[in-house]
């Protein structure tokens, strides 16, 4: 995400087509403030969800630390910012994954999503047995 400073001053047309950005581009938070905001928002989650969420956020931000592609950086930050907005307003409860986003995922991303789903189900099963 070292290229992020260049993106702060870039216009949407200099990064990619405006059609991909939707009606109005979001004012993206820089990576570190966004990361901190997400971890602060996780404080309001139940302890088991907070632990799982914190671990996942930390691993994703570490894995994308050295990404140089501006399109990937913008996509990454946009999705995490939307996530932060959802958990801030409790919109995430009962929310289903958008089919269009699911179709755009790579095989590796689908594998990660499947592993996350299994982890959540295992945690739910353990809580039910107690």
């Amino acid at each position: 995400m070292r290229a992020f400073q260049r993106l702060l001053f870039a216009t949407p047309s200099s990064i990619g087509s405006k059609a991909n950005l939707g009606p109005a581009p979001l004012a993206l938070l820089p990576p570190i403030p966004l990361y901190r905001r997400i971890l602060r928002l996780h404080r309001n989650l139940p302890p088991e969800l907070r632990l799982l969420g914190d671990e996942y956020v930390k691993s994703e931000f570490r894995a994308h630390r050295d990404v140089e592609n501006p399109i990937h950086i913008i996509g990454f930050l946009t999705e995490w910012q939307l996530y932060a907005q959802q958990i801030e307003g409790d919109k995430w409860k009962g929310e289903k994954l958008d089919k269009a986003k699911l179709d755009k995922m790579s095989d590796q991303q689908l594998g990660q999503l499947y592993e996350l789903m299994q982890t959540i189900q295992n945690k739910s099963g353990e809580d039910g047995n107690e």
Side-chain angles (χ1 to χ4, degrees):
M1 288 195 207
R2 292 184 181 120
F4 186 74
Q5 281 71 28
R6 291 183 299 218
L7 294 175
L8 287 175
F9 302 106
T11 61
S13 60
S14 69
I15 295 168
S17 74
K18 291 182 182 181
N20 296 335
L21 295 175
L26 292 172
L28 291 177
L29 287 175
I32 293 175
L34 178 59
Y35 174 78
R36 289 179 182 154
R37 177 180 176 204
I38 292 168
L39 293 179
R40 275 194 306 274
L41 289 168
H42 279 182
R43 292 178 191 163
N44 300 323
L45 297 175
E48 64 278 355
L49 289 179
R50 179 182 177 183
L51 180 64
L52 181 65
D54 286 354
E55 288 177 20
Y56 189 75
V57 168
K58 289 175 185 178
S59 69
E60 283 297 300
F61 272 78
R62 277 189 204 111
H64 291 83
R65 183 181 299 160
D66 295 325
V67 172
E68 294 290 331
N69 185 333
I71 302 296
H72 288 183
I73 294 169
I74 289 174
F76 179 82
L77 294 175
T78 301
E79 289 302 318
W80 279 108
Q81 191 157 324
L82 290 172
Y83 167 79
Q85 290 170 351
Q86 283 183 332
I87 63 171
E88 193 170 42
D90 279 344
K91 291 182 193 173
W92 60 275
K93 293 181 180 177
E95 187 75 18
K96 295 192 180 205
L97 189 59
D98 183 26
K99 174 113 172 73
K101 287 183 182 179
L102 195 60
D103 291 341
K104 291 180 183 178
M105 289 185 180
S106 69
D107 290 340
Q108 181 184 5
Q109 289 171 322
L110 291 172
Q112 283 181 306
L113 189 61
Y114 182 73
E115 288 174 16
L116 180 62
M117 181 191 73
Q118 286 191 316
T119 302
I120 292 169
Q121 288 176 343
N122 290 341
K123 296 261 184 209
S124 305
E126 290 172 7
D127 292 343
N129 294 334
E130 292 176 4

PDB file of all heavy atoms in Angstrom, residues 89-105:
ATOM      1  N   GLY A  89     -23.372   0.312  11.930  1.00  0.00           N
ATOM      2  CA  GLY A  89     -24.812   0.473  12.008  1.00  0.00           C
ATOM      3  C   GLY A  89     -25.567  -0.820  12.227  1.00  0.00           C
ATOM      4  O   GLY A  89     -26.770  -0.871  12.070  1.00  0.00           O
ATOM      5  N   ASP A  90     -24.893  -1.889  12.544  1.00  0.00           N
ATOM      6  CA  ASP A  90     -25.509  -3.206  12.742  1.00  0.00           C
ATOM      7  C   ASP A  90     -26.257  -3.711  11.503  1.00  0.00           C
ATOM      8  O   ASP A  90     -27.168  -4.520  11.611  1.00  0.00           O
ATOM      9  CB  ASP A  90     -26.466  -3.197  13.940  1.00  0.00           C
ATOM     10  CG  ASP A  90     -25.744  -3.338  15.265  1.00  0.00           C
ATOM     11  OD1 ASP A  90     -24.566  -3.739  15.245  1.00  0.00           O
ATOM     12  OD2 ASP A  90     -26.348  -3.054  16.303  1.00  0.00           O
ATOM     13  N   LYS A  91     -25.882  -3.244  10.318  1.00  0.00           N
ATOM     14  CA  LYS A  91     -26.517  -3.716   9.091  1.00  0.00           C
ATOM     15  C   LYS A  91     -26.043  -5.115   8.720  1.00  0.00           C
ATOM     16  O   LYS A  91     -26.639  -5.769   7.883  1.00  0.00           O
ATOM     17  CB  LYS A  91     -26.202  -2.776   7.924  1.00  0.00           C
ATOM     18  CG  LYS A  91     -26.836  -1.429   8.018  1.00  0.00           C
ATOM     19  CD  LYS A  91     -26.482  -0.640   6.780  1.00  0.00           C
ATOM     20  CE  LYS A  91     -26.798   0.817   6.925  1.00  0.00           C
ATOM     21  NZ  LYS A  91     -26.317   1.587   5.796  1.00  0.00           N
ATOM     22  N   TRP A  92     -24.977  -5.570   9.315  1.00  0.00           N
ATOM     23  CA  TRP A  92     -24.366  -6.843   8.933  1.00  0.00           C
ATOM     24  C   TRP A  92     -25.159  -8.037   9.423  1.00  0.00           C
ATOM     25  O   TRP A  92     -25.028  -9.130   8.884  1.00  0.00           O
ATOM     26  CB  TRP A  92     -22.939  -6.913   9.459  1.00  0.00           C
ATOM     27  CG  TRP A  92     -22.857  -6.818  10.962  1.00  0.00           C
ATOM     28  CD1 TRP A  92     -22.824  -5.684  11.707  1.00  0.00           C
ATOM     29  CD2 TRP A  92     -22.830  -7.900  11.884  1.00  0.00           C
ATOM     30  NE1 TRP A  92     -22.777  -5.986  13.041  1.00  0.00           N
ATOM     31  CE2 TRP A  92     -22.769  -7.347  13.182  1.00  0.00           C
ATOM     32  CE3 TRP A  92     -22.837  -9.278  11.746  1.00  0.00           C
ATOM     33  CZ2 TRP A  92     -22.724  -8.122  14.334  1.00  0.00           C
ATOM     34  CZ3 TRP A  92     -22.782 -10.056  12.898  1.00  0.00           C
ATOM     35  CH2 TRP A  92     -22.724  -9.489  14.162  1.00  0.00           C
ATOM     36  N   LYS A  93     -25.994  -7.874  10.439  1.00  0.00           N
ATOM     37  CA  LYS A  93     -26.720  -9.006  11.010  1.00  0.00           C
ATOM     38  C   LYS A  93     -27.739  -9.527  10.007  1.00  0.00           C
ATOM     39  O   LYS A  93     -28.615  -8.800   9.561  1.00  0.00           O
ATOM     40  CB  LYS A  93     -27.399  -8.601  12.309  1.00  0.00           C
ATOM     41  CG  LYS A  93     -26.406  -8.280  13.396  1.00  0.00           C
ATOM     42  CD  LYS A  93     -27.083  -7.908  14.674  1.00  0.00           C
ATOM     43  CE  LYS A  93     -26.029  -7.593  15.722  1.00  0.00           C
ATOM     44  NZ  LYS A  93     -26.618  -7.160  16.979  1.00  0.00           N
ATOM     45  N   GLY A  94     -27.591 -10.790   9.638  1.00  0.00           N
ATOM     46  CA  GLY A  94     -28.506 -11.417   8.699  1.00  0.00           C
ATOM     47  C   GLY A  94     -28.265 -11.039   7.249  1.00  0.00           C
ATOM     48  O   GLY A  94     -29.009 -11.444   6.371  1.00  0.00           O
ATOM     49  N   GLU A  95     -27.223 -10.263   6.989  1.00  0.00           N
ATOM     50  CA  GLU A  95     -26.908  -9.802   5.630  1.00  0.00           C
ATOM     51  C   GLU A  95     -26.297 -10.950   4.819  1.00  0.00           C
ATOM     52  O   GLU A  95     -25.479 -11.712   5.307  1.00  0.00           O
ATOM     53  CB  GLU A  95     -25.922  -8.642   5.709  1.00  0.00           C
ATOM     54  CG  GLU A  95     -25.641  -7.975   4.389  1.00  0.00           C
ATOM     55  CD  GLU A  95     -26.773  -7.095   3.911  1.00  0.00           C
ATOM     56  OE1 GLU A  95     -27.632  -6.713   4.716  1.00  0.00           O
ATOM     57  OE2 GLU A  95     -26.789  -6.807   2.708  1.00  0.00           O
ATOM     58  N   LYS A  96     -26.716 -11.069   3.575  1.00  0.00           N
ATOM     59  CA  LYS A  96     -26.163 -12.090   2.686  1.00  0.00           C
ATOM     60  C   LYS A  96     -25.150 -11.449   1.754  1.00  0.00           C
ATOM     61  O   LYS A  96     -25.251 -10.270   1.433  1.00  0.00           O
ATOM     62  CB  LYS A  96     -27.273 -12.752   1.888  1.00  0.00           C
ATOM     63  CG  LYS A  96     -28.222 -13.517   2.771  1.00  0.00           C
ATOM     64  CD  LYS A  96     -29.134 -14.385   1.984  1.00  0.00           C
ATOM     65  CE  LYS A  96     -30.026 -15.103   2.981  1.00  0.00           C
ATOM     66  NZ  LYS A  96     -30.527 -16.317   2.513  1.00  0.00           N
ATOM     67  N   LEU A  97     -24.212 -12.248   1.310  1.00  0.00           N
ATOM     68  CA  LEU A  97     -23.171 -11.788   0.395  1.00  0.00           C
ATOM     69  C   LEU A  97     -23.783 -11.526  -0.974  1.00  0.00           C
ATOM     70  O   LEU A  97     -24.561 -12.339  -1.486  1.00  0.00           O
ATOM     71  CB  LEU A  97     -22.067 -12.839   0.304  1.00  0.00           C
ATOM     72  CG  LEU A  97     -20.799 -12.473  -0.416  1.00  0.00           C
ATOM     73  CD1 LEU A  97     -20.144 -11.260   0.249  1.00  0.00           C
ATOM     74  CD2 LEU A  97     -19.839 -13.628  -0.411  1.00  0.00           C
ATOM     75  N   ASP A  98     -23.439 -10.395  -1.551  1.00  0.00           N
ATOM     76  CA  ASP A  98     -23.940  -9.995  -2.865  1.00  0.00           C
ATOM     77  C   ASP A  98     -23.440 -10.969  -3.933  1.00  0.00           C
ATOM     78  O   ASP A  98     -22.253 -11.274  -4.001  1.00  0.00           O
ATOM     79  CB  ASP A  98     -23.461  -8.570  -3.157  1.00  0.00           C
ATOM     80  CG  ASP A  98     -23.989  -8.039  -4.465  1.00  0.00           C
ATOM     81  OD1 ASP A  98     -25.057  -8.490  -4.906  1.00  0.00           O
ATOM     82  OD2 ASP A  98     -23.322  -7.150  -5.038  1.00  0.00           O
ATOM     83  N   LYS A  99     -24.351 -11.469  -4.765  1.00  0.00           N
ATOM     84  CA  LYS A  99     -23.996 -12.440  -5.810  1.00  0.00           C
ATOM     85  C   LYS A  99     -22.969 -11.865  -6.785  1.00  0.00           C
ATOM     86  O   LYS A  99     -22.063 -12.575  -7.207  1.00  0.00           O
ATOM     87  CB  LYS A  99     -25.260 -12.856  -6.561  1.00  0.00           C
ATOM     88  CG  LYS A  99     -24.997 -13.743  -7.759  1.00  0.00           C
ATOM     89  CD  LYS A  99     -25.523 -15.117  -7.545  1.00  0.00           C
ATOM     90  CE  LYS A  99     -25.450 -15.993  -8.774  1.00  0.00           C
ATOM     91  NZ  LYS A  99     -24.145 -16.454  -9.133  1.00  0.00           N
ATOM     92  N   ALA A 100     -23.076 -10.584  -7.119  1.00  0.00           N
ATOM     93  CA  ALA A 100     -22.139  -9.960  -8.054  1.00  0.00           C
ATOM     94  C   ALA A 100     -20.716  -9.971  -7.473  1.00  0.00           C
ATOM     95  O   ALA A 100     -19.754 -10.239  -8.193  1.00  0.00           O
ATOM     96  CB  ALA A 100     -22.568  -8.533  -8.361  1.00  0.00           C
ATOM     97  N   LYS A 101     -20.585  -9.707  -6.180  1.00  0.00           N
ATOM     98  CA  LYS A 101     -19.263  -9.744  -5.547  1.00  0.00           C
ATOM     99  C   LYS A 101     -18.733 -11.168  -5.499  1.00  0.00           C
ATOM    100  O   LYS A 101     -17.549 -11.404  -5.707  1.00  0.00           O
ATOM    101  CB  LYS A 101     -19.324  -9.166  -4.132  1.00  0.00           C
ATOM    102  CG  LYS A 101     -19.487  -7.678  -4.110  1.00  0.00           C
ATOM    103  CD  LYS A 101     -19.464  -7.149  -2.703  1.00  0.00           C
ATOM    104  CE  LYS A 101     -19.691  -5.648  -2.716  1.00  0.00           C
ATOM    105  NZ  LYS A 101     -19.706  -5.084  -1.380  1.00  0.00           N
ATOM    106  N   LEU A 102     -19.614 -12.105  -5.225  1.00  0.00           N
ATOM    107  CA  LEU A 102     -19.214 -13.507  -5.173  1.00  0.00           C
ATOM    108  C   LEU A 102     -18.704 -13.983  -6.535  1.00  0.00           C
ATOM    109  O   LEU A 102     -17.712 -14.703  -6.616  1.00  0.00           O
ATOM    110  CB  LEU A 102     -20.405 -14.347  -4.718  1.00  0.00           C
ATOM    111  CG  LEU A 102     -20.138 -15.761  -4.251  1.00  0.00           C
ATOM    112  CD1 LEU A 102     -19.199 -15.766  -3.074  1.00  0.00           C
ATOM    113  CD2 LEU A 102     -21.431 -16.454  -3.895  1.00  0.00           C
ATOM    114  N   ASP A 103     -19.359 -13.556  -7.605  1.00  0.00           N
ATOM    115  CA  ASP A 103     -18.953 -13.939  -8.961  1.00  0.00           C
ATOM    116  C   ASP A 103     -17.589 -13.368  -9.341  1.00  0.00           C
ATOM    117  O   ASP A 103     -16.881 -13.944 -10.160  1.00  0.00           O
ATOM    118  CB  ASP A 103     -19.993 -13.492  -9.976  1.00  0.00           C
ATOM    119  CG  ASP A 103     -21.294 -14.273  -9.859  1.00  0.00           C
ATOM    120  OD1 ASP A 103     -21.275 -15.376  -9.269  1.00  0.00           O
ATOM    121  OD2 ASP A 103     -22.332 -13.771 -10.337  1.00  0.00           O
ATOM    122  N   LYS A 104     -17.216 -12.227  -8.756  1.00  0.00           N
ATOM    123  CA  LYS A 104     -15.942 -11.590  -9.078  1.00  0.00           C
ATOM    124  C   LYS A 104     -14.763 -12.186  -8.312  1.00  0.00           C
ATOM    125  O   LYS A 104     -13.617 -11.890  -8.629  1.00  0.00           O
ATOM    126  CB  LYS A 104     -16.007 -10.095  -8.772  1.00  0.00           C
ATOM    127  CG  LYS A 104     -16.918  -9.326  -9.704  1.00  0.00           C
ATOM    128  CD  LYS A 104     -16.938  -7.864  -9.340  1.00  0.00           C
ATOM    129  CE  LYS A 104     -17.894  -7.074 -10.199  1.00  0.00           C
ATOM    130  NZ  LYS A 104     -17.936  -5.663  -9.801  1.00  0.00           N
ATOM    131  N   MET A 105     -15.040 -13.019  -7.319  1.00  0.00           N
ATOM    132  CA  MET A 105     -13.964 -13.550  -6.471  1.00  0.00           C
ATOM    133  C   MET A 105     -13.148 -14.606  -7.192  1.00  0.00           C
ATOM    134  O   MET A 105     -13.677 -15.393  -7.972  1.00  0.00           O
ATOM    135  CB  MET A 105     -14.543 -14.152  -5.192  1.00  0.00           C
ATOM    136  CG  MET A 105     -15.079 -13.135  -4.242  1.00  0.00           C
ATOM    137  SD  MET A 105     -15.585 -13.948  -2.716  1.00  0.00           S
ATOM    138  CE  MET A 105     -16.149 -12.548  -1.798  1.00  0.00           C
TER     139      MET A 105
END
